[in-house]
């Protein structure tokens, strides 16, 4: 019984570590849980985190290692086959029989040959450099039992497999590729890249785990389409008797027999593919012509061109680069469904934006965050020296602090590339990029705790190396006593507008007049803290939010605007991908593309360019903000056999409330715009059911209560997040307002037209 309890305690301890690490990785832990604290005389106990349990992929822990043997099949003239020796799962020698194709590069494992038909289980090939050769299965319909061709520590240039479903699966462990194209494959700890082409083109039944994609940005003498991963489906090319493609009347290739892209899964993969010019060769330069550049379209591109696609999922990935980092859109033929991007971190190296603007509405993106700290992939020892593979995907220089049993070490890690720093001195080649920089910690330490200490108020534990079985405690970090991190002026043409940034990462703009407009030559003064700013408060007196003011503030979640703000200039909140709450009155002028890239806010609020305003350059934020959520204008719901879409007006006959539809996506949303019944008590609830359909009521319009002049008490329940200016005007008999959202302070309601004579109550 004691042995059993001891075993259970051990399992519980392991599960607790994994659970704590999972919270950190998924973002469920609070700010104070970024480092797991213990109690030992004022010290903190160091715990393992997700990146310790499952290492982030880098160039040291993926791909081939050591000396490889050259691929050298032996020709057997008696049977007209090449042969190569492999191993089975019992470590016994087995022979593969190969046919050489006409290009004298591709070797086919011919499963119609009698000896190959006898193969079963796993056939293992290890430590082989295939060079320019490719090993490809052929005639797989002859396979009667499930077979796996397993490659361990092998190097390839280009690999492809048969496209349909098959009983043959290809498995790759610690292999290196320029490109893989095909189906029925599994990859683990593999490295992709090295030439300017798509690194991976999966068709169906493909799983990719712990893999690294990088170094694809080489120079070519012509424009090149390059993605880290592109999924475009599959169809057979129609060819004539000579094997040449048959073209249609417009000169385009024709395809038949499409196969849906499906069952494709990525987990814990990393992409470093910023768009750069690389290796410009003199022989490729044409006189009086600009050199062409290899172009990156996306880290992850899902664009169905030949067939439909579904059951495609990416999780726990780190992405840095691309024109748009994530592209998900049904192409000219296929449709797209059941696709998700979960728990994705995005670096600053992209050229245009995080998400392609016309993203497919069936794409689900959950927990998308900016990479706001250093991270470490490999941690290993050589000759008593601890080596750390450190990467900086952010746009500012960062500091790494390593605390060991021998002392402390501080390193400065150069800022990562951005759209502004690419193609400038210091970033001409991939090798110049600050990816997987090896930092050495001497002294043969028994343990090392690594922290990003770039900002003393946002210290993050990023790696724990421990050779001992003992618990490790270190001194607590001392936070800065100064509450203000940064302050200064930010007014347009010397307008009296200033700002303060406090150590809780709240940026407050105050004064009188317009904010300044920013651009690449005039960056916002808080630019260096853009990875950390979580809340922006613009106080009464400020009249305009300047262009690009909060551009790339990835951590920005909430914005509070005073009623004095009458205009939001272009791209003010560009790429604020975690912004989910901002109160914009109906009379605020929102310049086109003010919220481009504010993906989470768009999803949360159902904002998009409404067909009523397609021809206007300016639009109200309540229904026409242009951003990266493309909602099909045909999306509708049915109520009493009537098609209801965004902008439709519906009435709840039970209460007399009139609503405007703000979203018809899952969790239909409404804005209360009118109360027609003359009730003395008005209750605005966050959830309503109208004709059998459940809705969420999230906002109250500017004339919502004017039509009910008999109202004496108004209750505003949880779920309501915004009340427009003027909502309470002309409510002359109103005596009391009861709110269940602490955001709606007395001051907030006064600015919405609530008389000072009306009693204000906050209820639980």
């Amino acid at each position: 019984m004691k042995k059993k309890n001891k075993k259970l305690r051990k399992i519980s301890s392991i599960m607790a570590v994994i659970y704590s690490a999972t919270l950190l990785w998924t973002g469920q832990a609070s700010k104070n849980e970024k480092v797991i604290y213990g109690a030992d005389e004022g010290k903190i106990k160091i715990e393992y985190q997700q990146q310790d349990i499952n290492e982030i992929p880098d160039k040291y822990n993926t791909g081939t290692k050591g000396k490889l043997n050259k691929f050298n099949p032996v020709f057997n003239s008696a049977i007209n086959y090449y042969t190569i020796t492999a191993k089975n799962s019992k470590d016994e020698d087995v022979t593969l029989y190969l046919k050489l194709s006409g290009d004298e590069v591709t070797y086919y494992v011919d499963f119609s040959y009698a000896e190959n038909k006898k193969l079963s289980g796993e056939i293992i090939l290890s430590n082989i450099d295939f060079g320019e050769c490719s090993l490809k299965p052929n005639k797989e319909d002859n396979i009667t039992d499930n077979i796996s061709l397993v490659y361990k520590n092998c190097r390839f240039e280009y690999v492809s497999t048969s496209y349909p479903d098959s009983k043959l699966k290809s498995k790759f462990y610690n292999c290196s590729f320029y490109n893989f194209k095909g189906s029925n494959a599994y990859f683990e700890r593999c490295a992709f890249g090295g030439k300017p082409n798509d690194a991976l083109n999966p068709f169906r039944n493909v799983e990719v785990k712990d893999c690294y994609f990088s170094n694809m940005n080489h120079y070519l003498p012509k424009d090149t389409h390059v993605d880290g991963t592109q999924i475009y489906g599959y169809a057979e090319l129609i060819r004539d008797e000579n094997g040449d493609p048959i073209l249609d009347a417009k000169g385009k290739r024709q395809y038949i027999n499409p196969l849906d892209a499906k069952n494709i899964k990525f987990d814990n993969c990393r992409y470093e593919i910023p768009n750069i010019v690389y290796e410009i060769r003199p022989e490729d330069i044409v006189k009086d012509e600009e050199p062409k550049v290899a172009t990156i379209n996306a880290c992850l591109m899902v664009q169905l061109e030949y067939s439909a696609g579904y059951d495609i999922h990416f999780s726990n990935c780190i992405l840095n680069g691309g024109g748009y980092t994530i592209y998900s859109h049904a192409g000219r033929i296929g449709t797209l469904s059941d696709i998700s991007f979960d728990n994705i971190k995005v670096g600053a190296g992209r050229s245009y934006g995080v998400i392609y603007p016309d993203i497919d509405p069936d794409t689900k993106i959950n927990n998308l965050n900016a990479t706001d700290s250093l991270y470490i992939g490999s941690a290993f020892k050589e000759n008593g020296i601890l080596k750390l593979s450190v990467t900086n995907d952010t746009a500012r220089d960062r500091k790494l602090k390593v605390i060991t049993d021998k002392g402390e070490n501080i390193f400065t890690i150069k800022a990562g590339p951005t759209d502004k720093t690419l193609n400038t001195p210091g970033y001409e080649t991939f090798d110049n990029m600050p990816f997987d920089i090896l930092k050495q910690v001497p002294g043969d330490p028994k343990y090392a705790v690594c922290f990003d200490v770039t900002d003393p108020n946002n210290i993050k534990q990023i790696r724990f190396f421990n050779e001992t079985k003992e618990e490790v405690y270190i001194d607590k970090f001392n936070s800065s006593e100064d509450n203000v991190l940064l302050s200064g002026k930010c007014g347009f043409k010397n307008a009296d507008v200033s700002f303060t940034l406090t150590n809780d990462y709240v940026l407050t703009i105050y004064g009188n007049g317009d904010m300044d407009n920013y651009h690449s030559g005039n960056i916002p003064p808080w630019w260096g803290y853009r990875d950390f700013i979580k809340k922006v408060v613009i106080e009464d007196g400020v009249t305009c939010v300047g262009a690009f003011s909060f551009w790339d503030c990835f951590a920005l979640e909430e914005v509070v605007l005073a009623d004095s703000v009458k205009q939001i200039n272009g791209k003010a909140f560009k790429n604020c991908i975690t912004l989910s709450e901002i109160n914009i009155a109906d009379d605020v002028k929102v310049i086109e593309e003010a919220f481009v890239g504010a993906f989470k806010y768009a999803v949360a609020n159902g904002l998009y360019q409404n067909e009523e305003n397609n021809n206007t350059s300016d639009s109200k934020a309540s229904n026409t903000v242009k951003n990266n959520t493309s909602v099909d204008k045909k999306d509708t719901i049915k109520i009493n056999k009537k098609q209801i879409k965004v902008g439709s007006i519906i009435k709840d006959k039970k209460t007399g409330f009139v609503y405007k539809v703000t979203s018809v996506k899952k969790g239909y949303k409404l804005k209360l715009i009118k109360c027609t019944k003359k009730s003395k008590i008005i209750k605005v609830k966050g959830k309503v059911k109208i004709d059998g359909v459940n809705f969420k009521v999230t906002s109250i319009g500017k004339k919502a209560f004017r039509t009910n002049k008999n109202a004496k008490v108004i209750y505003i329940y949880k779920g309501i997040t915004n009340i427009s200016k003027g909502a309470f005007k002309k409510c002359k008999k109103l005596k009391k307002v009861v709110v269940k959202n602490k955001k709606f302070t007395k001051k907030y309601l006064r600015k919405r037209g609530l008389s000072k004579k009306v009693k204000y109550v906050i209820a639980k």
Side-chain angles (χ1 to χ4, degrees):
M1 187 69 178
K2 289 183 178 179
K3 288 184 178 180
K4 184 178 180 181
N5 289 338
K6 186 176 181 181
K7 185 177 180 181
L8 287 172
R9 284 197 299 272
K10 184 176 181 181
I11 293 173
S12 298
S13 176
I14 293 171
M15 291 304 296
V17 170
I18 294 174
Y19 176 71
S20 298
T22 302
L23 289 179
L24 291 165
W25 179 246
T26 58
Q28 296 177 40
S30 68
K31 178 181 178 182
N32 291 332
E33 292 169 331
K34 294 292 185 183
V35 176
I36 310 295
Y37 289 92
D40 184 39
E41 298 180 357
K43 294 180 179 290
I44 59 173
K45 178 184 175 183
I46 302 303
E47 300 280 9
Y48 288 104
Q49 300 187 39
Q50 180 65 37
Q51 55 266 42
D52 302 309
I53 298 168
N54 190 9
E55 285 186 329
I56 295 171
D58 67 14
K59 68 181 181 182
Y60 298 101
N61 59 37
T62 62
T64 57
K65 301 292 182 291
K67 186 177 181 180
L68 304 181
N69 302 312
K70 185 178 180 181
F71 178 60
N72 189 24
V74 177
F75 183 66
N76 187 327
S77 58
I79 58 175
N80 200 30
Y81 271 91
Y82 288 82
T83 61
I84 183 173
T85 301
K87 296 283 186 179
N88 61 20
S89 57
K90 296 179 182 180
D91 200 31
E92 300 169 336
D93 286 349
V94 294
T95 301
L96 286 176
Y97 293 83
L98 315 176
K99 278 286 188 180
L100 181 61
S101 67
D103 61 11
E104 296 188 350
V105 172
T106 304
Y107 287 84
Y108 290 102
V109 183
D110 183 2
F111 285 100
S112 67
Y113 186 63
E115 294 301 317
N116 283 340
K117 284 183 179 182
K118 297 177 183 179
L119 298 173
S120 63
E122 290 192 340
I123 311 301
I124 304 168
L125 296 162
S126 302
N127 307 316
I128 300 175
D129 186 346
F130 285 87
E132 295 182 355
C133 297
S134 178
L135 198 61
K136 185 175 180 179
N138 190 33
K139 299 183 180 179
E140 297 169 58
D141 54 347
N142 290 281
I143 298 174
T144 56
D145 296 321
N146 290 326
I147 300 176
S148 294
L149 288 177
V150 180
Y151 303 89
K152 295 182 177 180
N153 200 47
C154 294
R155 179 193 166 274
F156 307 86
E157 293 200 0
Y158 303 97
V159 181
S160 63
T161 63
S162 297
Y163 305 140
D165 299 335
S166 151
K167 289 186 177 181
L168 176 69
K169 187 167 187 176
S170 299
K171 297 181 180 180
F172 302 90
Y173 299 89
N174 288 96
C175 294
S176 298
F177 304 84
Y178 291 154
N179 169 263
F180 175 90
K181 183 182 297 182
S183 300
N184 313 317
Y186 175 83
F187 303 89
E188 186 173 321
R189 289 289 165 188
C190 292
F192 294 83
K195 284 191 176 182
N197 48 253
D198 292 349
L200 178 59
N201 301 116
F203 293 129
R204 55 203 283 153
N205 307 321
V206 174
E207 184 176 357
V208 187
K209 185 178 180 183
D210 305 332
C211 291
Y212 181 44
F213 298 76
S214 68
N215 198 16
M216 293 176 286
N217 319 81
H218 298 246
Y219 169 84
L220 277 186
K222 60 180 180 179
D223 289 333
T224 310
H225 175 98
V226 184
D227 297 301
T229 292
Q230 182 175 18
I231 301 172
Y232 45 70
Y234 174 76
E236 294 179 19
L237 181 63
I238 304 176
R239 300 179 183 272
D240 60 20
E241 61 275 9
N242 297 318
D244 296 324
I246 296 177
L247 307 180
D248 63 15
K250 295 182 179 179
K252 293 184 178 181
R253 294 183 175 188
Q254 300 183 73
Y255 296 87
I256 57 173
N257 301 327
L259 288 171
D260 292 345
K262 68 174 185 177
N263 190 26
I264 299 172
K265 295 176 174 60
F266 286 69
D267 184 66
N268 192 41
C269 293
R270 178 176 155 224
Y271 290 73
E272 296 286 359
I273 50 173
N275 182 20
I276 56 176
V277 179
Y278 191 79
E279 291 181 354
I280 301 179
R281 300 169 297 182
E283 62 267 28
D284 291 327
I285 298 177
V286 179
K287 186 178 180 181
D288 300 325
E289 289 187 15
E290 288 290 328
K292 301 292 185 180
V293 180
T295 56
I296 291 291
N297 285 343
C299 288
L300 300 177
M301 173 168 280
V302 184
Q303 185 179 34
L304 279 301
E305 298 180 6
Y306 305 109
S307 62
Y310 59 92
D311 191 18
I312 301 171
H313 305 283
F314 302 89
S315 60
N316 306 322
C317 295
I318 298 175
L319 313 179
N320 185 38
Y324 290 98
T325 304
I326 296 174
Y327 185 110
S328 178
H329 186 74
R332 58 178 180 262
I333 296 177
T335 58
L336 195 60
S337 62
D338 189 21
I339 175 169
S340 66
F341 297 83
D342 296 293
N343 197 25
I344 305 296
K345 293 184 179 180
V346 179
R350 68 201 169 277
S351 298
Y352 308 116
V354 176
I355 303 172
Y356 181 67
D358 195 17
I359 191 170
D360 194 279
D362 286 323
T363 299
K364 302 295 185 293
I365 297 183
N366 306 304
N367 195 27
L368 178 68
N369 295 288
T371 301
D372 61 355
S373 68
L374 297 169
Y375 56 84
I376 294 175
S378 296
F380 56 93
K381 268 191 177 182
E382 286 185 353
N383 301 320
I385 296 176
L386 174 63
K387 297 186 177 182
L388 305 170
S389 174
V390 188
T391 296
N392 184 1
D393 278 349
T394 76
R396 61 188 293 205
D397 291 354
R398 308 196 76 87
K399 289 186 178 180
L400 169 68
K401 185 173 187 177
V402 183
I403 300 175
T404 75
D405 55 303
K406 306 295 184 181
E408 297 183 359
N409 296 267
I410 297 288
F411 303 97
T412 298
I413 311 299
K414 186 179 179 182
T418 69
D419 60 327
K420 302 301 178 186
T421 58
L422 294 171
N423 299 317
T424 58
Y427 287 111
E428 291 92 345
T429 73
F430 186 84
D431 291 336
N432 296 134
M433 302 287 179
F435 309 139
D436 301 340
I437 297 174
L438 213 57
K439 293 298 181 182
Q440 301 187 28
V441 182
D444 198 10
K446 294 180 181 179
Y447 70 81
V449 192
C450 306
F451 296 91
D452 185 324
V453 294
T454 307
D455 192 302
N457 294 288
N458 194 23
I459 294 171
K460 292 187 177 181
Q461 179 185 329
I462 58 175
R463 196 64 200 271
F464 181 28
F465 173 87
N466 188 6
E467 288 184 332
T468 74
K469 295 182 179 180
E470 300 175 357
E471 294 180 341
V472 173
Y473 290 81
I474 65 171
D475 293 331
K476 289 184 178 180
F477 288 95
N478 294 320
S479 299
S480 173
E481 295 180 0
D482 187 4
N483 184 50
V484 177
L485 295 176
L486 194 67
S487 62
K489 297 288 186 180
C490 59
F492 180 68
K493 292 185 177 180
N494 298 319
D496 184 22
V497 182
S498 303
F499 74 92
T500 58
L501 176 64
T502 52
N503 59 14
D504 56 354
Y505 303 109
V506 175
L507 178 63
T508 303
I509 313 293
Y510 61 93
N512 295 284
D514 295 349
M515 289 178 62
D516 200 357
N517 291 310
Y518 298 101
H519 48 78
S520 59
N522 178 32
I523 61 174
W526 46 83
W527 178 252
Y529 288 88
R530 66 192 180 281
D531 293 341
F532 300 131
I533 297 171
K534 293 188 175 181
K535 183 177 180 179
V536 170
V537 178
I538 300 181
E539 295 187 345
D540 194 36
V542 180
T543 52
C544 179
V545 179
F548 290 95
S549 290
F550 310 107
W551 163 43
D552 276 0
C553 287
F554 292 137
L556 181 59
E557 298 174 352
E558 180 184 359
V559 176
V560 179
L561 298 178
D563 286 346
S564 58
V565 174
K566 299 301 179 186
Q567 183 165 309
I568 300 175
N569 283 344
K571 299 181 181 177
F573 297 97
K574 180 182 178 182
N575 293 338
C576 294
I577 59 176
T578 57
L579 177 61
S580 59
E581 185 174 348
I582 178 172
N583 59 306
I584 304 177
D586 289 346
D587 60 347
V588 174
K589 183 179 183 181
V590 181
I591 302 301
E592 186 176 8
E593 294 189 333
F595 289 86
V596 63
F599 180 80
K600 190 171 182 179
Y601 179 59
V603 171
N605 294 276
L607 305 180
Y608 59 92
Q609 187 175 3
N610 195 335
E611 58 188 335
E612 296 174 1
N613 297 282
N614 273 347
N615 297 320
T616 61
S617 58
D618 301 329
S619 57
K620 301 290 181 65
S622 60
N623 61 3
T624 59
V625 174
K626 281 189 176 181
N627 50 53
N628 283 339
T629 299
S630 173
V631 179
D632 192 335
K633 297 168 188 174
K634 296 179 181 179
D635 281 353
T636 60
I637 56 175
K638 276 188 178 182
I639 296 182
N640 286 336
K641 298 182 180 180
K642 292 182 179 180
Q643 295 292 341
I644 305 298
K645 60 184 179 180
V646 172
S648 296
I649 306 300
I650 61 175
K651 183 175 181 179
D652 185 349
K653 295 178 181 179
K654 293 180 180 179
T655 62
F657 288 0
V658 180
Y659 299 97
K660 184 175 184 178
V661 180
T662 59
S663 174
V664 293
K665 289 299 179 184
K666 186 177 181 181
Y668 310 129
K669 294 179 182 179
L670 303 175
K671 174 192 280 191
L672 175 65
I673 60 173
K674 191 181 294 186
C675 301
T676 58
K677 288 188 177 180
K678 307 301 180 182
S679 303
K680 292 182 180 180
I681 298 176
I682 296 176
K683 295 182 178 181
V684 185
K685 297 183 178 181
K687 295 180 180 180
V688 297
K689 192 170 186 178
I690 302 175
D691 293 328
V693 179
N694 293 316
F695 291 92
K696 292 180 180 179
V697 182
T698 59
S699 57
I700 298 173
K702 63 182 179 180
K703 297 181 180 180
F705 305 120
R706 289 188 184 187
T707 52
N708 188 347
K709 297 180 180 180
N710 294 329
K712 291 186 177 181
V713 182
I714 296 176
Y715 290 87
I716 300 175
Y717 288 74
K718 289 182 179 179
I720 312 300
T721 59
N722 185 52
I723 302 175
S724 298
K725 185 178 180 180
F728 298 98
K729 284 188 176 182
K730 296 186 179 181
C731 296
K732 295 182 179 180
K733 294 185 179 181
L734 188 61
K735 301 295 183 184
K736 183 170 69 173
V737 170
V738 181
V739 299
K740 294 191 176 184
N741 184 340
K742 293 182 180 180
K743 169 188 172 180
F744 299 142
T745 62
K746 186 184 293 186
K747 182 179 179 181
Y748 181 94
L749 296 184
R750 295 282 186 260
K751 291 182 178 181
R752 269 69 189 163
L754 186 67
S755 171
K756 293 181 180 180
K757 297 179 181 180
V758 176
K759 185 178 180 180
Y760 167 80
V761 179
I762 296 181
K764 293 183 179 180

